[in-house]
Amino acid sequence: MTDCSHLQTILADSPVGKVLPAIAALNLPNWWLAGGAVRNTVWKSLYGTNCGLVIKDFDVAFYDANGDREQELAAKQTLAQQFPDAVFDVKNQASFAVWRAGRRPYSSTEDGVADWLHTATAVGIRLNYLGQWQFFTPYGLDDLFNGIIRPSPAHLQNPDAERKAASFLEKCPNLRLASPLN
C-alpha cells in the first residue's frame, strides 16, 4: 500500500472523510484540507489511547486572488450549518498576509500550506470533481507516519513551532522530535 493510499484509508472512515465531500461542494478555488485534522487523525490512528490529540478544527485553505473575507465567512457558515458540532477555519491564502501580521504573501494554496509550522501538518487532501482523493505532501509522509515532529524549513528557529511541538508531545508521548541534524 502506498503512503497516500494508507493515508486515504485512515482518513476515509474518520470525521475528515465525512466533511471532505461538503468542502468539495463549496467549489473553492484550489482548496486543500490540511493541518491538525489530518495530522491528529493519523497520529490517533497510529498510537490509539496513548495519544490525546483530537480534531480541534478543520483547516480549509484555498487561493482566490479576487476573494475577500466574506467568501471565507460564507464557506465557514455553510460548513457549520452542515456540521454544527465541528469548527471550520477557512482561509484564502491570497489574502492571508494582509490580515495576519508577520506573514509573507503566498502565491498559491500550496505555497501557504507548505509554510505551516511542521512537516506533518503541511499535508493537504481534497476530492477532485470526480470525487477522487488528491494529496499535497511537500515534505512527504514519512514524518506523519513515523510520529516525527519536525519544523518546516521556514520555521526551524520559530518559538511557535517549538511551543506547538511541546504541546503535541504532552498529549501524545509516543511522538518524537526530529533530530536537529535531520
Side-chain angles (χ1 to χ4, degrees), residues 13-41:
D13 291 326
S14 77
V16 171
K18 290 177 180 51
V19 303
L20 213 51
I23 298 168
L26 295 172
N27 291 315
L28 293 169
N30 196 31
W31 69 275
W32 293 99
L33 173 66
V38 173
R39 178 198 63 227
N40 292 354
T41 299

PDB file of all heavy atoms in Angstrom, residues 13-41:
ATOM      1  N   ASP A  13     -12.549   6.802   6.902  1.00  0.00           N
ATOM      2  CA  ASP A  13     -13.501   6.364   7.931  1.00  0.00           C
ATOM      3  C   ASP A  13     -13.410   7.201   9.199  1.00  0.00           C
ATOM      4  O   ASP A  13     -13.662   6.702  10.291  1.00  0.00           O
ATOM      5  CB  ASP A  13     -13.253   4.884   8.265  1.00  0.00           C
ATOM      6  CG  ASP A  13     -13.627   3.974   7.111  1.00  0.00           C
ATOM      7  OD1 ASP A  13     -14.588   4.300   6.390  1.00  0.00           O
ATOM      8  OD2 ASP A  13     -12.947   2.955   6.916  1.00  0.00           O
ATOM      9  N   SER A  14     -13.057   8.452   9.048  1.00  0.00           N
ATOM     10  CA  SER A  14     -12.917   9.363  10.181  1.00  0.00           C
ATOM     11  C   SER A  14     -13.783  10.595   9.935  1.00  0.00           C
ATOM     12  O   SER A  14     -14.369  10.741   8.852  1.00  0.00           O
ATOM     13  CB  SER A  14     -11.448   9.781  10.325  1.00  0.00           C
ATOM     14  OG  SER A  14     -11.118  10.764   9.351  1.00  0.00           O
ATOM     15  N   PRO A  15     -13.853  11.497  10.888  1.00  0.00           N
ATOM     16  CA  PRO A  15     -14.576  12.756  10.638  1.00  0.00           C
ATOM     17  C   PRO A  15     -14.047  13.512   9.417  1.00  0.00           C
ATOM     18  O   PRO A  15     -14.803  14.193   8.736  1.00  0.00           O
ATOM     19  CB  PRO A  15     -14.360  13.545  11.933  1.00  0.00           C
ATOM     20  CG  PRO A  15     -14.203  12.490  12.985  1.00  0.00           C
ATOM     21  CD  PRO A  15     -13.440  11.384  12.295  1.00  0.00           C
ATOM     22  N   VAL A  16     -12.759  13.359   9.122  1.00  0.00           N
ATOM     23  CA  VAL A  16     -12.191  14.012   7.941  1.00  0.00           C
ATOM     24  C   VAL A  16     -12.907  13.513   6.685  1.00  0.00           C
ATOM     25  O   VAL A  16     -13.303  14.302   5.820  1.00  0.00           O
ATOM     26  CB  VAL A  16     -10.668  13.753   7.851  1.00  0.00           C
ATOM     27  CG1 VAL A  16     -10.103  14.244   6.522  1.00  0.00           C
ATOM     28  CG2 VAL A  16      -9.941  14.408   9.020  1.00  0.00           C
ATOM     29  N   GLY A  17     -13.095  12.216   6.578  1.00  0.00           N
ATOM     30  CA  GLY A  17     -13.772  11.642   5.420  1.00  0.00           C
ATOM     31  C   GLY A  17     -15.222  12.083   5.306  1.00  0.00           C
ATOM     32  O   GLY A  17     -15.773  12.155   4.209  1.00  0.00           O
ATOM     33  N   LYS A  18     -15.834  12.387   6.438  1.00  0.00           N
ATOM     34  CA  LYS A  18     -17.231  12.837   6.423  1.00  0.00           C
ATOM     35  C   LYS A  18     -17.374  14.284   5.937  1.00  0.00           C
ATOM     36  O   LYS A  18     -18.329  14.613   5.253  1.00  0.00           O
ATOM     37  CB  LYS A  18     -17.835  12.691   7.815  1.00  0.00           C
ATOM     38  CG  LYS A  18     -18.055  11.234   8.218  1.00  0.00           C
ATOM     39  CD  LYS A  18     -18.601  11.141   9.639  1.00  0.00           C
ATOM     40  CE  LYS A  18     -18.846   9.723  10.082  1.00  0.00           C
ATOM     41  NZ  LYS A  18     -17.746   8.803   9.914  1.00  0.00           N
ATOM     42  N   VAL A  19     -16.419  15.157   6.297  1.00  0.00           N
ATOM     43  CA  VAL A  19     -16.537  16.564   5.909  1.00  0.00           C
ATOM     44  C   VAL A  19     -15.982  16.847   4.517  1.00  0.00           C
ATOM     45  O   VAL A  19     -16.350  17.842   3.892  1.00  0.00           O
ATOM     46  CB  VAL A  19     -15.869  17.515   6.936  1.00  0.00           C
ATOM     47  CG1 VAL A  19     -16.449  17.335   8.323  1.00  0.00           C
ATOM     48  CG2 VAL A  19     -14.367  17.380   6.951  1.00  0.00           C
ATOM     49  N   LEU A  20     -15.112  15.983   4.022  1.00  0.00           N
ATOM     50  CA  LEU A  20     -14.450  16.227   2.739  1.00  0.00           C
ATOM     51  C   LEU A  20     -15.425  16.474   1.580  1.00  0.00           C
ATOM     52  O   LEU A  20     -15.246  17.442   0.828  1.00  0.00           O
ATOM     53  CB  LEU A  20     -13.496  15.069   2.434  1.00  0.00           C
ATOM     54  CG  LEU A  20     -12.228  15.378   1.673  1.00  0.00           C
ATOM     55  CD1 LEU A  20     -11.438  16.519   2.271  1.00  0.00           C
ATOM     56  CD2 LEU A  20     -11.368  14.142   1.555  1.00  0.00           C
ATOM     57  N   PRO A  21     -16.480  15.670   1.402  1.00  0.00           N
ATOM     58  CA  PRO A  21     -17.411  15.950   0.300  1.00  0.00           C
ATOM     59  C   PRO A  21     -18.111  17.310   0.444  1.00  0.00           C
ATOM     60  O   PRO A  21     -18.361  17.991  -0.555  1.00  0.00           O
ATOM     61  CB  PRO A  21     -18.424  14.802   0.382  1.00  0.00           C
ATOM     62  CG  PRO A  21     -17.696  13.702   1.079  1.00  0.00           C
ATOM     63  CD  PRO A  21     -16.789  14.392   2.063  1.00  0.00           C
ATOM     64  N   ALA A  22     -18.404  17.714   1.660  1.00  0.00           N
ATOM     65  CA  ALA A  22     -19.057  19.017   1.869  1.00  0.00           C
ATOM     66  C   ALA A  22     -18.111  20.159   1.528  1.00  0.00           C
ATOM     67  O   ALA A  22     -18.536  21.176   0.960  1.00  0.00           O
ATOM     68  CB  ALA A  22     -19.542  19.135   3.314  1.00  0.00           C
ATOM     69  N   ILE A  23     -16.843  19.995   1.849  1.00  0.00           N
ATOM     70  CA  ILE A  23     -15.860  21.026   1.493  1.00  0.00           C
ATOM     71  C   ILE A  23     -15.728  21.094  -0.023  1.00  0.00           C
ATOM     72  O   ILE A  23     -15.711  22.174  -0.609  1.00  0.00           O
ATOM     73  CB  ILE A  23     -14.503  20.765   2.167  1.00  0.00           C
ATOM     74  CG1 ILE A  23     -14.643  20.806   3.689  1.00  0.00           C
ATOM     75  CG2 ILE A  23     -13.467  21.788   1.708  1.00  0.00           C
ATOM     76  CD1 ILE A  23     -13.425  20.280   4.450  1.00  0.00           C
ATOM     77  N   ALA A  24     -15.664  19.940  -0.666  1.00  0.00           N
ATOM     78  CA  ALA A  24     -15.560  19.902  -2.127  1.00  0.00           C
ATOM     79  C   ALA A  24     -16.752  20.596  -2.784  1.00  0.00           C
ATOM     80  O   ALA A  24     -16.600  21.292  -3.788  1.00  0.00           O
ATOM     81  CB  ALA A  24     -15.445  18.458  -2.611  1.00  0.00           C
ATOM     82  N   ALA A  25     -17.935  20.428  -2.202  1.00  0.00           N
ATOM     83  CA  ALA A  25     -19.156  21.019  -2.766  1.00  0.00           C
ATOM     84  C   ALA A  25     -19.145  22.544  -2.730  1.00  0.00           C
ATOM     85  O   ALA A  25     -19.903  23.189  -3.461  1.00  0.00           O
ATOM     86  CB  ALA A  25     -20.384  20.485  -2.028  1.00  0.00           C
ATOM     87  N   LEU A  26     -18.282  23.135  -1.912  1.00  0.00           N
ATOM     88  CA  LEU A  26     -18.182  24.606  -1.858  1.00  0.00           C
ATOM     89  C   LEU A  26     -17.570  25.184  -3.126  1.00  0.00           C
ATOM     90  O   LEU A  26     -17.725  26.369  -3.410  1.00  0.00           O
ATOM     91  CB  LEU A  26     -17.346  25.039  -0.656  1.00  0.00           C
ATOM     92  CG  LEU A  26     -17.901  24.741   0.720  1.00  0.00           C
ATOM     93  CD1 LEU A  26     -16.862  25.061   1.793  1.00  0.00           C
ATOM     94  CD2 LEU A  26     -19.187  25.516   0.968  1.00  0.00           C
ATOM     95  N   ASN A  27     -16.842  24.344  -3.865  1.00  0.00           N
ATOM     96  CA  ASN A  27     -16.170  24.780  -5.097  1.00  0.00           C
ATOM     97  C   ASN A  27     -15.213  25.951  -4.880  1.00  0.00           C
ATOM     98  O   ASN A  27     -15.131  26.857  -5.716  1.00  0.00           O
ATOM     99  CB  ASN A  27     -17.190  25.119  -6.194  1.00  0.00           C
ATOM    100  CG  ASN A  27     -17.906  23.900  -6.694  1.00  0.00           C
ATOM    101  OD1 ASN A  27     -17.272  22.876  -6.947  1.00  0.00           O
ATOM    102  ND2 ASN A  27     -19.216  23.983  -6.808  1.00  0.00           N
ATOM    103  N   LEU A  28     -14.508  25.946  -3.763  1.00  0.00           N
ATOM    104  CA  LEU A  28     -13.496  26.972  -3.530  1.00  0.00           C
ATOM    105  C   LEU A  28     -12.333  26.722  -4.485  1.00  0.00           C
ATOM    106  O   LEU A  28     -11.968  25.569  -4.736  1.00  0.00           O
ATOM    107  CB  LEU A  28     -12.998  26.909  -2.085  1.00  0.00           C
ATOM    108  CG  LEU A  28     -14.024  27.278  -1.011  1.00  0.00           C
ATOM    109  CD1 LEU A  28     -13.502  26.913   0.371  1.00  0.00           C
ATOM    110  CD2 LEU A  28     -14.358  28.763  -1.088  1.00  0.00           C
ATOM    111  N   PRO A  29     -11.732  27.779  -5.020  1.00  0.00           N
ATOM    112  CA  PRO A  29     -10.629  27.568  -5.958  1.00  0.00           C
ATOM    113  C   PRO A  29      -9.381  27.019  -5.277  1.00  0.00           C
ATOM    114  O   PRO A  29      -8.962  27.511  -4.238  1.00  0.00           O
ATOM    115  CB  PRO A  29     -10.374  28.962  -6.536  1.00  0.00           C
ATOM    116  CG  PRO A  29     -11.042  29.923  -5.628  1.00  0.00           C
ATOM    117  CD  PRO A  29     -12.088  29.184  -4.867  1.00  0.00           C
ATOM    118  N   ASN A  30      -8.824  25.981  -5.883  1.00  0.00           N
ATOM    119  CA  ASN A  30      -7.580  25.351  -5.451  1.00  0.00           C
ATOM    120  C   ASN A  30      -7.528  25.127  -3.937  1.00  0.00           C
ATOM    121  O   ASN A  30      -6.611  25.533  -3.256  1.00  0.00           O
ATOM    122  CB  ASN A  30      -6.373  26.179  -5.905  1.00  0.00           C
ATOM    123  CG  ASN A  30      -5.097  25.378  -5.818  1.00  0.00           C
ATOM    124  OD1 ASN A  30      -5.091  24.167  -5.988  1.00  0.00           O
ATOM    125  ND2 ASN A  30      -4.015  26.038  -5.524  1.00  0.00           N
ATOM    126  N   TRP A  31      -8.525  24.434  -3.425  1.00  0.00           N
ATOM    127  CA  TRP A  31      -8.629  24.214  -1.978  1.00  0.00           C
ATOM    128  C   TRP A  31      -7.924  22.939  -1.543  1.00  0.00           C
ATOM    129  O   TRP A  31      -7.758  22.000  -2.312  1.00  0.00           O
ATOM    130  CB  TRP A  31     -10.100  24.157  -1.553  1.00  0.00           C
ATOM    131  CG  TRP A  31     -10.829  22.933  -2.060  1.00  0.00           C
ATOM    132  CD1 TRP A  31     -11.432  22.786  -3.279  1.00  0.00           C
ATOM    133  CD2 TRP A  31     -11.013  21.691  -1.374  1.00  0.00           C
ATOM    134  NE1 TRP A  31     -11.978  21.526  -3.385  1.00  0.00           N
ATOM    135  CE2 TRP A  31     -11.742  20.831  -2.231  1.00  0.00           C
ATOM    136  CE3 TRP A  31     -10.652  21.223  -0.114  1.00  0.00           C
ATOM    137  CZ2 TRP A  31     -12.106  19.543  -1.880  1.00  0.00           C
ATOM    138  CZ3 TRP A  31     -11.008  19.925   0.245  1.00  0.00           C
ATOM    139  CH2 TRP A  31     -11.726  19.104  -0.627  1.00  0.00           C
ATOM    140  N   TRP A  32      -7.522  22.939  -0.276  1.00  0.00           N
ATOM    141  CA  TRP A  32      -6.982  21.759   0.389  1.00  0.00           C
ATOM    142  C   TRP A  32      -7.458  21.755   1.829  1.00  0.00           C
ATOM    143  O   TRP A  32      -7.504  22.798   2.471  1.00  0.00           O
ATOM    144  CB  TRP A  32      -5.443  21.761   0.406  1.00  0.00           C
ATOM    145  CG  TRP A  32      -4.805  21.605  -0.931  1.00  0.00           C
ATOM    146  CD1 TRP A  32      -4.289  22.590  -1.723  1.00  0.00           C
ATOM    147  CD2 TRP A  32      -4.603  20.381  -1.648  1.00  0.00           C
ATOM    148  NE1 TRP A  32      -3.788  22.060  -2.879  1.00  0.00           N
ATOM    149  CE2 TRP A  32      -3.963  20.703  -2.852  1.00  0.00           C
ATOM    150  CE3 TRP A  32      -4.902  19.049  -1.371  1.00  0.00           C
ATOM    151  CZ2 TRP A  32      -3.614  19.748  -3.800  1.00  0.00           C
ATOM    152  CZ3 TRP A  32      -4.553  18.093  -2.315  1.00  0.00           C
ATOM    153  CH2 TRP A  32      -3.915  18.439  -3.518  1.00  0.00           C
ATOM    154  N   LEU A  33      -7.792  20.595   2.342  1.00  0.00           N
ATOM    155  CA  LEU A  33      -7.997  20.413   3.777  1.00  0.00           C
ATOM    156  C   LEU A  33      -6.653  19.929   4.301  1.00  0.00           C
ATOM    157  O   LEU A  33      -6.105  18.947   3.811  1.00  0.00           O
ATOM    158  CB  LEU A  33      -9.085  19.377   4.061  1.00  0.00           C
ATOM    159  CG  LEU A  33      -9.248  19.001   5.542  1.00  0.00           C
ATOM    160  CD1 LEU A  33      -9.738  20.183   6.360  1.00  0.00           C
ATOM    161  CD2 LEU A  33     -10.189  17.822   5.695  1.00  0.00           C
ATOM    162  N   ALA A  34      -6.104  20.640   5.266  1.00  0.00           N
ATOM    163  CA  ALA A  34      -4.771  20.310   5.770  1.00  0.00           C
ATOM    164  C   ALA A  34      -4.715  20.584   7.266  1.00  0.00           C
ATOM    165  O   ALA A  34      -5.713  20.950   7.880  1.00  0.00           O
ATOM    166  CB  ALA A  34      -3.720  21.140   5.020  1.00  0.00           C
ATOM    167  N   GLY A  35      -3.560  20.395   7.834  1.00  0.00           N
ATOM    168  CA  GLY A  35      -3.347  20.783   9.224  1.00  0.00           C
ATOM    169  C   GLY A  35      -3.668  19.708  10.242  1.00  0.00           C
ATOM    170  O   GLY A  35      -3.562  18.511   9.986  1.00  0.00           O
ATOM    171  N   GLY A  36      -4.080  20.182  11.401  1.00  0.00           N
ATOM    172  CA  GLY A  36      -4.257  19.325  12.560  1.00  0.00           C
ATOM    173  C   GLY A  36      -5.301  18.239  12.402  1.00  0.00           C
ATOM    174  O   GLY A  36      -5.145  17.157  12.976  1.00  0.00           O
ATOM    175  N   ALA A  37      -6.351  18.469  11.655  1.00  0.00           N
ATOM    176  CA  ALA A  37      -7.372  17.425  11.490  1.00  0.00           C
ATOM    177  C   ALA A  37      -6.763  16.191  10.815  1.00  0.00           C
ATOM    178  O   ALA A  37      -7.015  15.060  11.234  1.00  0.00           O
ATOM    179  CB  ALA A  37      -8.560  17.945  10.685  1.00  0.00           C
ATOM    180  N   VAL A  38      -5.951  16.421   9.806  1.00  0.00           N
ATOM    181  CA  VAL A  38      -5.286  15.317   9.107  1.00  0.00           C
ATOM    182  C   VAL A  38      -4.235  14.698  10.025  1.00  0.00           C
ATOM    183  O   VAL A  38      -4.230  13.491  10.273  1.00  0.00           O
ATOM    184  CB  VAL A  38      -4.656  15.809   7.780  1.00  0.00           C
ATOM    185  CG1 VAL A  38      -3.822  14.712   7.135  1.00  0.00           C
ATOM    186  CG2 VAL A  38      -5.735  16.318   6.829  1.00  0.00           C
ATOM    187  N   ARG A  39      -3.348  15.532  10.537  1.00  0.00           N
ATOM    188  CA  ARG A  39      -2.240  15.056  11.388  1.00  0.00           C
ATOM    189  C   ARG A  39      -2.750  14.303  12.612  1.00  0.00           C
ATOM    190  O   ARG A  39      -2.316  13.184  12.886  1.00  0.00           O
ATOM    191  CB  ARG A  39      -1.406  16.271  11.826  1.00  0.00           C
ATOM    192  CG  ARG A  39      -0.243  15.955  12.744  1.00  0.00           C
ATOM    193  CD  ARG A  39       0.242  17.200  13.479  1.00  0.00           C
ATOM    194  NE  ARG A  39      -0.802  17.704  14.336  1.00  0.00           N
ATOM    195  CZ  ARG A  39      -1.162  18.996  14.400  1.00  0.00           C
ATOM    196  NH1 ARG A  39      -0.564  19.909  13.673  1.00  0.00           N
ATOM    197  NH2 ARG A  39      -2.133  19.369  15.213  1.00  0.00           N
ATOM    198  N   ASN A  40      -3.661  14.908  13.348  1.00  0.00           N
ATOM    199  CA  ASN A  40      -4.130  14.287  14.588  1.00  0.00           C
ATOM    200  C   ASN A  40      -4.908  13.002  14.342  1.00  0.00           C
ATOM    201  O   ASN A  40      -4.840  12.073  15.141  1.00  0.00           O
ATOM    202  CB  ASN A  40      -4.959  15.275  15.393  1.00  0.00           C
ATOM    203  CG  ASN A  40      -4.112  16.423  15.925  1.00  0.00           C
ATOM    204  OD1 ASN A  40      -2.900  16.437  15.791  1.00  0.00           O
ATOM    205  ND2 ASN A  40      -4.768  17.404  16.512  1.00  0.00           N
ATOM    206  N   THR A  41      -5.645  12.936  13.250  1.00  0.00           N
ATOM    207  CA  THR A  41      -6.371  11.709  12.921  1.00  0.00           C
ATOM    208  C   THR A  41      -5.385  10.567  12.655  1.00  0.00           C
ATOM    209  O   THR A  41      -5.581   9.444  13.129  1.00  0.00           O
ATOM    210  CB  THR A  41      -7.300  11.928  11.712  1.00  0.00           C
ATOM    211  OG1 THR A  41      -8.251  12.946  12.043  1.00  0.00           O
ATOM    212  CG2 THR A  41      -8.032  10.650  11.329  1.00  0.00           C
TER     213      THR A  41
END
